[in-house]
Amino acid sequence: MNPTDHWASLLQRCVVAESCIAGKSIHAYIAKAGLLHLGLYLANNLVNFYSKFRLFPDALKVFDEMPLKNIFSWNSVLSMHAKNGRIDAAFDFFDQMPEKDPVSWTSMIVGCNQAGQFKEAVLMLLAMVRDGCPPSQFTFTNILSSCAALEAHNVGRMVHSLVVKFGMSSCIPVANSLLNMYGKCGDSLMAEVIFDRMTLRSVSSWNTMISMYSKSGQMDLAKALFEEMTQRSIVSWNALIAGFNQNGLDHEAIGFFSRMLTEPGMIPDDFTLTSLLSACANLGMLKVGKQIHAYLLRSEIAMIGQVSNALISMYSKSGGVENAQKLVAKSASSELDIISFTALLEGYLKLGHLQPARQIFDLMKHRDVVLWTAMIVGYVQNGFNLEAMELFYQMNSKGPEPNNYTLAAILSACSSLASLEHGRQIHSKAIRSQEGLSVSVCNALITMYAKSGCIELARKVFNQISWVREPVSWTSMIIAFAQHGMGKEAVNLFDKMLGLGIVPDHITYVGVITACTHSGLVEKGKAFFSMMQNAYKIRPTPSHYACMIDLFARSGNLDEAQEFIQSMPVEPDAIAWGSLLAACRIHKDADLARIAAEGLLSVDPGNSGAYSALANAYSSCGRWKEAAEIWKMMRDKGVKKEKGFSWIHIKKKVHVFGVDDGLHPLRDAIYSMVAKIWEEIKKAGFVPDVDSVLHDVDDELKEEMLSHHSEKLAVAFGLMSTPEYTVLRVMKNLRVCNDCHNAMKFISRLTGREIVVRDATRFHHFRDGFCSCKDYW
């Protein structure tokens, strides 16, 4: 044997044995013995040895010192650059090559493909064909992989024509690559044609088709193909089980897993178990999930990455959030993905525990916009609106740019807080970030402006997207009109919506019937209730029934409201009874009020409003003894009356007032302002409505009590604290009383201010001595 061949063989063994030290020792001996000049074959093996061990400078040094080089020498160095991600160096070296063969071109295509430079890989193939160099099957498999990654359907079809031209159609790896490319590009028809024409198919061919059908939701075809297979791999089972899971067929996923366990030699891997845990999470099957967890522990499968995340998601969604918390404590919180974090967050939300979720959020290293949004949404959904606002501003200062979901969520928090100033700032940010015309953001803006008392701004936002024929946008605007007592506008918009062919849903009808309720449009409301059932086949929900009861009761048709309740196919809920009870007090029907209160307490025994509303109904009718009995009953049962309070936003701060509030630091100045306003509006013709005081005391004391109602204190503070002609926006947790309603009309005329008051059910806009509700509320 030629001595150089012996040393070349030893170098090849070092590569197989992954022994770098031994290879370097051999090189040292070869150099010392002066054998390199004796053979090109030995030098090429040395270059290949150093390339395999990624010792690039050594490989290049050997290459540069070679007295003779052949195409193999050049290809070895080229492959070293290309396959190790040194793609720029590969391009430079490729340009220097004196000649190129199919291996040279394919090395470049493989390198581009592995580096994610798919377009460059395609261009390299076109140059290769132009150069008259025939592609190999390895060339085609890599280039088709690039086309699949780009979802470049047209380019893939061109490559397919080259496959046919070079007679590679019957080559199984190439055919499988074609199947994969067409599947990724969504051309299932062409994939089926190729599959049907294959005379020989590998297990990979079948798996590719099953995966394609699964990803496109055609699980019946995926299952049928699976059943045809004579030989299956773990990939076959994984593709089908994952397909069932991803398409919402979780029971089928678990069923096929059970069947898989009966197959000889078929052992589930981490991909199988990840899909199965996801199915258990979706179904809330905690017991099965625990069994899989036990299997993972027995089989010693590493519970990291996707397996760990799937376990945490399963426990979080299935009521085992404590177990999820233990898993998080054992693993690195920073490794949690967004799906697991969101699931864990939902688990904590169900328990009302947001602090642990926030702690995990703070520990995570990579917090993308989805993660920030998930935490903000968690705060908003659980009523922690101020915390949501604080986190949003942290995101602005040190996090990613918010997307339309983030902005919609934080606008929802602004709506709940009725924080117009913050809402306007976020609107400006949405415009700057080009999310201002996003339908979800615009819908949230409509609601925010409406709940903050700016109905015209809400209308302006709606007009920007009114061309979008999406029911949610139109419904949001109809509800906004309803909240502001603009019944005719709501009805007109609803009619326009129908005229454009936009189909209303059950929420739309809640909005339009509510609009009729607050404007006294009884016949219109009845017509819509009938239309909903007969024309659109929408079955009424408790919300629709409550709206109808409120429609009749507010208009004084208490008998019709009572008859409607008796004819309902479902039991009235707390909102329905509460609507009737409130109307009984307004229309002074104490006997029906007792029936309504009993009905309300039967479905909501702890409702303090039932007692106080009934007592107030008795008081309004002058039945003081019966009212006193109700108050005594409340004391004996330990039922606390809901206290009325009002609040106003002044200079980014919320000021809250209760009746006879003595806690505000400017109490004396506020009470002086109240007394001054009280005297001035009385001079202007205001007559205190002492009947609004539902206590058996003398009129002088009643008048003093009326003057200190929480909304009057809030307005007085607003007048003291804002420039002239500024709009005052006051929020109240209960229904505004008759006296305050009348007083606000006089105050608006006296001060030249617009005063917007949001009570428990709607908005009142007081301007120049008139209210937008036209005294119907």
Side-chain angles (χ1 to χ4, degrees):
M1 176 187 283
N2 187 319
T4 58
D5 290 348
H6 169 69
W7 295 111
S9 176
L10 288 177
L11 285 169
Q12 291 168 12
R13 290 182 188 180
C14 290
V15 170
V16 173
E18 298 182 356
S19 177
C20 182
I21 295 175
K24 283 188 170 184
S25 299
I26 292 168
H27 185 192
Y29 180 84
I30 292 169
K32 186 176 181 180
L35 298 176
L36 275 176
H37 70 282
L38 295 178
L40 179 62
Y41 179 65
L42 179 58
N44 283 340
N45 271 278
L46 265 174
V47 171
N48 182 63
F49 164 76
Y50 282 120
S51 298
K52 295 295 184 184
F53 284 98
R54 299 172 62 86
L55 299 172
F56 309 132
D58 296 301
L60 290 170
K61 187 173 186 298
V62 173
F63 177 81
D64 290 338
E65 292 176 354
M66 289 173 66
L68 294 173
K69 303 179 180 74
N70 62 7
I71 188 65
F72 184 86
S73 314
W74 287 88
N75 283 341
S76 294
V77 175
L78 178 66
S79 179
M80 175 189 74
H81 287 311
K83 290 184 178 179
N84 288 288
R86 298 160 57 89
I87 200 67
D88 291 336
F91 271 109
D92 290 339
F93 192 81
F94 183 79
D95 291 338
Q96 297 171 26
M97 291 179 70
E99 60 176 318
K100 304 174 181 73
D101 66 0
V103 175
S104 315
W105 290 95
T106 302
S107 294
M108 287 301 299
I109 290 170
V110 170
C112 290
N113 189 39
Q114 290 178 348
Q117 296 187 20
F118 306 119
K119 289 183 180 179
E120 287 75 6
V122 173
L123 293 172
M124 189 62 68
L125 173 71
L126 297 176
M128 177 182 184
V129 174
R130 281 196 303 269
D131 200 48
C133 193
S136 66
Q137 74 169 52
F138 199 50
T139 315
F140 280 124
T141 55
N142 275 273
I143 205 67
L144 286 167
S145 173
S146 292
C147 292
L150 290 169
E151 295 184 11
H153 186 241
N154 290 334
V155 177
R157 288 176 67 88
M158 292 169 58
V159 175
H160 188 181
S161 67
L162 289 174
V163 168
V164 175
K165 179 180 178 181
F166 286 97
M168 297 278 185
S169 299
S170 59
C171 177
I172 292 178
V174 175
N176 287 342
S177 294
L178 281 168
L179 286 177
N180 179 60
M181 182 274 294
Y182 281 119
K184 292 281 179 65
C185 293
D187 191 347
S188 57
L189 184 61
M190 198 63 201
E192 289 168 355
V193 169
I194 293 170
F195 183 77
D196 291 340
R197 289 179 179 174
M198 291 176 70
T199 54
L200 291 175
R201 298 169 182 151
S202 65
V203 174
S204 179
S205 313
W206 293 83
N207 291 345
T208 301
M209 292 298 292
I210 291 169
S211 179
M212 181 190 72
Y213 284 135
S214 297
K215 288 177 180 176
S216 62
Q218 301 178 79
M219 290 310 300
D220 52 342
L221 295 177
K223 181 181 175 184
L225 210 59
F226 178 86
E227 300 294 359
E228 284 185 42
M229 295 179 72
T230 56
Q231 183 182 358
R232 304 184 184 104
S233 67
I234 185 65
V235 177
S236 316
W237 288 93
N238 285 348
L240 196 68
I241 291 170
F244 281 129
N245 168 232
Q246 291 164 3
N247 287 284
L249 302 169
D250 297 301
H251 283 293
E252 287 83 347
I254 292 173
F256 262 82
F257 174 73
S258 300
R259 179 177 157 188
M260 174 185 168
L261 294 178
T262 64
E263 288 282 314
M266 197 57 65
I267 300 173
D269 61 11
D270 53 348
F271 293 104
T272 325
L273 298 171
T274 297
S275 295
L276 200 64
L277 286 166
S278 176
C280 292
N282 294 337
L283 295 170
M285 297 177 70
L286 181 60
K287 185 177 180 181
V288 177
K290 284 184 174 180
Q291 291 172 353
I292 298 167
H293 190 182
Y295 177 86
L296 282 165
L297 294 170
R298 290 195 306 272
S299 61
E300 298 183 353
I301 294 176
M303 285 187 284
I304 57 174
Q306 63 178 3
V307 175
S308 173
N309 280 301
L311 263 175
I312 292 167
S313 293
M314 182 278 296
Y315 278 122
S316 300
K317 290 183 177 180
S318 305
V321 72
E322 300 86 357
N323 290 359
Q325 192 171 6
K326 290 175 183 176
L327 285 168
V328 171
K330 287 181 180 178
S331 62
S333 298
S334 58
E335 291 183 1
L336 275 178
D337 65 11
I338 180 58
I339 297 173
S340 303
F341 177 77
T342 305
L344 191 58
L345 179 59
E346 289 173 357
Y348 284 125
L349 283 174
K350 289 176 183 176
L351 300 174
H353 300 162
L354 270 175
Q355 189 57 36
R358 179 59 187 270
Q359 289 172 351
I360 293 169
F361 174 84
D362 290 338
L363 287 172
M364 293 185 74
K365 293 179 181 177
H366 306 292
R367 294 182 292 185
D368 61 8
V369 64
V370 181
L371 198 64
W372 282 88
T373 302
M375 192 68 230
I376 288 169
V377 169
Y379 276 133
V380 173
Q381 290 179 345
N382 217 42
F384 292 95
N385 295 300
L386 291 174
E387 289 80 356
M389 295 291 294
E390 180 186 346
L391 186 61
F392 176 75
Y393 285 115
Q394 283 185 31
M395 180 183 182
N396 275 339
S397 63
K398 60 184 180 182
E401 274 295 307
N403 60 19
N404 58 327
Y405 298 105
T406 324
L407 294 170
I410 202 64
L411 284 167
S412 178
C414 294
S415 297
S416 299
L417 295 169
S419 180
L420 179 61
E421 187 172 354
H422 286 117
R424 279 176 165 160
Q425 290 174 0
I426 294 163
H427 189 180
S428 298
K429 183 170 185 63
I431 293 171
R432 290 195 301 272
S433 65
Q434 297 184 341
E435 295 285 0
L437 288 178
S438 162
V439 174
S440 60
V441 171
C442 285
N443 290 342
L445 281 168
I446 291 168
T447 302
M448 183 276 296
Y449 280 126
K451 287 190 174 181
S452 300
C454 298
I455 189 63
E456 290 307 319
L457 287 176
R459 193 202 302 253
K460 184 177 180 181
V461 173
F462 173 76
N463 289 338
Q464 292 176 348
I465 59 165
S466 58
W467 55 272
V468 178
R469 299 194 175 190
E470 183 184 278
V472 176
S473 306
W474 291 73
T475 299
S476 298
M477 195 64 225
I478 288 168
I479 291 173
F481 281 139
Q483 291 170 336
H484 288 262
M486 301 170 71
K488 290 182 179 178
E489 288 85 348
V491 169
N492 290 339
L493 189 61
F494 181 78
D495 289 339
K496 185 178 179 181
M497 176 182 178
L498 297 182
L500 291 171
I502 304 171
V503 179
D505 59 17
H506 65 286
I507 300 174
T508 316
Y509 276 101
V510 169
V512 75
I513 296 172
T514 300
C516 295
T517 298
H518 288 296
S519 301
L521 304 173
V522 178
E523 294 305 316
K524 274 284 187 184
K526 289 165 68 174
F528 289 138
F529 186 71
S530 177
M531 178 198 295
M532 176 185 76
Q533 299 172 79
N534 299 327
Y536 289 93
K537 308 302 178 186
I538 297 174
R539 181 178 297 178
T541 66
S543 295
H544 296 113
Y545 288 120
C547 285
M548 291 304 294
I549 294 167
D550 201 16
L551 177 74
F552 295 130
R554 280 180 190 270
S555 62
N557 298 320
L558 298 179
D559 292 337
E560 194 168 358
Q562 190 174 11
E563 290 172 9
F564 185 85
I565 288 176
Q566 293 169 350
S567 67
M568 284 167 52
V570 297
E571 288 296 319
D573 62 7
I575 298 174
W577 284 119
S579 298
L580 181 61
L581 181 55
C584 290
R585 198 202 86 180
I586 295 167
H587 297 289
K588 299 184 179 180
D589 190 332
D591 295 329
L592 183 56
R594 175 174 283 279
I595 296 172
E598 289 171 353
L600 177 53
L601 291 171
S602 68
V603 295
D604 187 7
N607 193 308
S608 62
Y611 293 98
S612 56
L614 179 58
N616 290 339
Y618 282 135
S619 299
S620 65
C621 297
R623 294 161 64 169
W624 301 108
K625 182 179 179 182
E626 289 161 293
E629 290 173 356
I630 299 298
W631 293 122
K632 182 178 183 301
M633 188 187 302
M634 286 183 69
R635 287 193 298 273
D636 293 344
K637 291 186 176 183
V639 178
K640 293 184 178 180
K641 178 186 175 184
E642 183 182 5
K643 294 183 178 180
F645 59 90
S646 301
W647 65 97
I648 186 170
H649 291 261
I650 303 290
K651 295 179 181 177
K652 296 184 179 181
K653 187 176 179 181
V654 179
H655 297 263
V656 183
F657 299 89
V659 177
D660 290 324
D661 200 323
L663 299 177
H664 199 281
L666 297 177
R667 177 189 182 281
D668 293 341
I670 293 169
Y671 273 69
S672 295
M673 175 64 80
V674 167
K676 178 183 176 183
I677 293 170
W678 193 254
E679 291 304 317
E680 289 184 6
I681 61 175
K682 284 174 67 176
K683 290 177 183 177
F686 168 72
V687 178
D689 182 9
V690 292
D691 290 338
S692 292
V693 179
L694 302 176
H695 297 281
D696 191 13
V697 295
D698 60 55
D699 286 355
E700 185 177 347
L701 183 55
K702 284 183 178 182
E703 188 172 323
E704 183 181 347
M705 293 169 67
L706 287 171
S707 69
H708 294 163
H709 277 192
S710 63
E711 52 265 64
K712 294 190 179 84
L713 297 176
V715 167
F717 177 71
L719 290 170
M720 293 165 45
S721 309
T722 58
E724 195 175 3
Y725 304 121
T726 302
V727 177
L728 299 181
R729 304 179 192 278
V730 175
M731 312 296 159
K732 182 174 173 64
N733 68 321
L734 301 177
R735 186 181 187 275
V736 65
C737 73
N738 290 335
D739 184 79
C740 285
H741 190 270
N742 199 26
M744 293 299 168
K745 291 193 289 186
F746 277 88
I747 295 171
S748 68
R749 182 190 298 164
L750 177 71
T751 61
R753 301 278 196 117
E754 178 182 354
I755 303 172
V756 181
V757 177
R758 188 187 83 181
D759 69 7
T761 58
R762 58 163 297 160
F763 280 87
H764 299 266
H765 295 257
F766 300 96
R767 296 188 192 94
D768 300 322
F770 297 94
C771 180
S772 59
C773 75
K774 300 180 177 61
D775 297 336
Y776 183 92
W777 85 99

